[in-house]
Amino acid sequence: MAQSMSRSPLAPAAFPDLPVINGVRFSSAAAGVKYQGRTDVMLAQMDPGTTVAGVFTKSATRSAPVRDCQDKLGAESQVGAAILVNSGNSNAFTGHFGQTSVAEITEAVAVATGLPTSRVFTASTGVIGEPLPHNRITAKINGLVHDLNEVGIKDAAEAIMTTDTFAKGASAQIQVDGQTVSIAGIAKGSGMIAPDMATMLVYIFTDAKLADSDLQLLLAKLCNRSFNCITVDSDTSTSDSLMLCATGASGVDVKGNNDFAFALESVMLDLAHQVVRDGEGATKFVEIQVTGAVSDAEAKVHGLSIANSPLVKTAIAGEDPNWGRVVMAVGKSGAMADRDLLSISFGDVLVAEKGWVSPDYREEDAAELMKRDKIILKVDLRLGDGKATVWTCDLTHGYIEINADYRS
């Protein structure tokens, strides 16, 4: 399906040039899990000494691969690690078949790489409820191991796409005591996007050195300011997985290093924004800035209520500055608000204040702003110091077309 859809109008011009991350190699293959004529499996193998962190969907119906990864995290090891991902089938809600497929795939990767199964992580994305034809994947593993190389990350990004219209990548490099530390990441995601942990499938690699526990704490913290602040359609996937691997190949310990944390967050935000820009049927990238809430947490509740409202999102798609729908979304969120203190702006156009339309508001000003492909909505609750930013996209007929026949 991914190949049949036109590229999102919000897509970047091209896949970025990502730096080689010493200590990790990639490969991809066409296994025919669902798609024909395209790659649909990727393998990443990390050298001994690599630490691994991850955050995963909180869905009560999360997939067998997610549960397996969660069980394996936290066990320190110096023998290296591997990640195998397939697209086309999520291996979710498949009963005992799910665990069997995970076991068969992890065992095959372990044998081919010499790694213990406890250090082989898998993920699957695609249709829910259909047994994964794992034999098609295991038949490709020896070839995947043979083809591993340092520059295959773009091909890996393409192999994990489902309804995505473009492969997603981002990177950053910093200097620490004269040494270069590099970060590179890839992601897939387009629909079923309302993360409750991380998002979709995201794999980030760095040559920095950081202990498992420190890596996990940093990832979880930054996730709440990036992937947990995006939504396309309010639906949380059964397969959402975000993994961060630190090979340590640079020899630079980045514990407590603020520059590294900032660089990592920039990569995570870049990937998160690309997922929104590839939202199914999206034509507008929307940033919602909420200030003046009683807490940051309540600001985020308001932001997500606005971002997930079909009425707000369809108004944006129709380029209608219907601020009444924003008022509605704030009022229904469950977080604290006062009608007579609330102000709303579309970009720099003050639309409403103190419980009523602004006396200086001109509809044509806001209507002109709504024609842009990036829309900024600002809400000031005037109740406290809480603030949050949330990102989403509009809701168009294209979303319906993609999802009405997703399994065909």
Side-chain angles (χ1 to χ4, degrees):
M1 176 172 287
Q3 286 190 332
S4 65
M5 292 181 294
S6 60
R7 187 176 175 88
S8 167
L10 305 174
F15 190 85
D17 290 328
L18 303 183
V20 168
I21 304 298
N22 291 328
V24 58
R25 297 169 294 145
F26 305 90
S27 61
S28 57
V33 173
K34 175 185 177 183
Y35 308 114
Q36 300 300 316
R38 53 157 287 190
T39 56
D40 58 358
V41 180
M42 83 88 167
L43 176 66
Q45 183 173 352
M46 285 69 70
D47 287 350
T50 297
T51 54
V52 181
V55 282
F56 302 88
T57 180
K58 293 179 181 177
S59 169
T61 55
R62 58 194 181 277
S63 69
V66 168
R67 292 175 183 271
D68 184 64
C69 287
Q70 288 177 310
D71 289 342
K72 290 174 178 177
L73 278 183
E76 293 192 16
S77 173
Q78 294 297 308
V79 298
I83 299 171
L84 185 138
V85 185
N86 77 268
S87 60
N89 183 306
S90 72
N91 195 19
F93 206 68
T94 51
H96 69 88
F97 294 105
Q99 286 83 358
T100 298
S101 292
V102 170
E104 291 287 341
I105 292 169
T106 54
E107 176 65 23
V109 172
V111 170
T113 59
L115 292 167
T117 56
S118 61
R119 293 292 284 178
V120 177
F121 303 90
T122 68
S124 299
T125 179
V127 174
I128 294 171
E130 297 180 5
L132 176 67
H134 59 258
N135 58 305
R136 300 180 188 176
I137 298 171
T138 55
K140 297 291 182 176
I141 288 175
N142 285 334
L144 284 164
V145 173
H146 178 269
D147 292 341
L148 285 165
N149 65 89
E150 290 185 334
V151 296
I153 192 168
K154 179 178 184 290
D155 292 338
E158 292 175 346
I160 64 176
M161 292 164 52
T162 52
T163 59
D164 305 60
T165 68
F166 63 92
K168 302 166 182 67
S171 67
Q173 290 183 306
I174 61 169
Q175 295 293 313
V176 180
D177 297 328
Q179 294 285 100
T180 300
V181 174
S182 300
I183 306 168
I186 58 174
K188 69 81 51 183
S190 186
M192 202 182 289
I193 307 297
D196 192 14
M197 39 48 75
T199 182
M200 300 48 71
L201 300 182
V202 182
Y203 300 99
I204 302 174
F205 307 90
T206 178
D207 55 12
K209 183 178 180 182
L210 203 60
D212 284 271
S213 57
D214 296 322
L215 196 68
Q216 185 65 45
L217 286 172
L218 181 60
L219 182 65
K221 175 183 176 181
L222 298 182
C223 180
N224 283 330
R225 301 207 296 255
S226 55
F227 293 112
N228 273 349
C229 290
I230 65 171
T231 178
V232 167
D233 50 19
S234 82
D235 286 328
T236 296
S237 169
T238 58
S239 306
D240 290 344
S241 302
L242 163 61
M243 298 189 73
L244 172 61
C245 303
T247 68
S250 69
V252 179
D253 193 320
V254 295
K255 182 176 182 179
N257 187 296
N258 290 331
D259 289 340
F260 177 79
F262 180 81
L264 177 59
E265 184 173 9
S266 73
V267 170
M268 293 169 69
L269 275 172
D270 191 339
L271 291 171
H273 290 176
Q274 287 187 57
V275 168
V276 172
R277 289 179 177 277
D278 203 16
E280 291 170 340
T283 65
K284 309 280 188 182
F285 178 76
V286 186
E287 179 173 300
I288 301 166
Q289 302 172 0
V290 180
T291 56
V294 296
S295 67
D296 290 351
E298 290 225 339
K300 187 174 178 180
V301 169
H302 282 301
L304 288 172
S305 180
I306 297 166
N308 283 324
S309 166
L311 289 177
V312 172
K313 292 159 74 72
T314 49
I316 292 171
E319 300 181 347
D320 176 13
N322 191 337
W323 53 273
R325 293 182 175 180
V326 179
V327 173
M328 172 278 300
V330 169
K332 74 166 186 175
S333 75
M336 191 175 297
D338 186 326
R339 178 197 64 189
D340 297 328
L341 296 177
L342 181 69
S343 72
I344 298 169
S345 298
F346 288 3
D348 294 328
V349 178
L350 180 63
V351 175
E353 57 181 335
K354 299 178 181 177
W356 188 241
V357 64
S358 172
D360 298 324
Y361 174 62
R362 296 171 67 248
E363 179 89 1
E364 55 266 34
D365 292 340
E368 185 64 29
L369 182 146
M370 298 298 286
K371 296 178 182 178
R372 302 175 183 175
D373 61 11
K374 179 178 180 180
I375 309 295
I376 298 177
L377 302 182
K378 301 177 183 178
V379 173
D380 188 353
L381 296 149
R382 302 182 187 275
L383 295 173
D385 298 323
K387 61 183 179 179
T389 302
V390 171
W391 296 272
T392 190
C393 58
D394 56 345
L395 180 60
T396 70
H397 190 71
Y399 181 87
I400 299 170
E401 291 177 337
I402 292 166
N403 286 285
D405 65 351
Y406 179 70
R407 295 196 303 162
S408 65

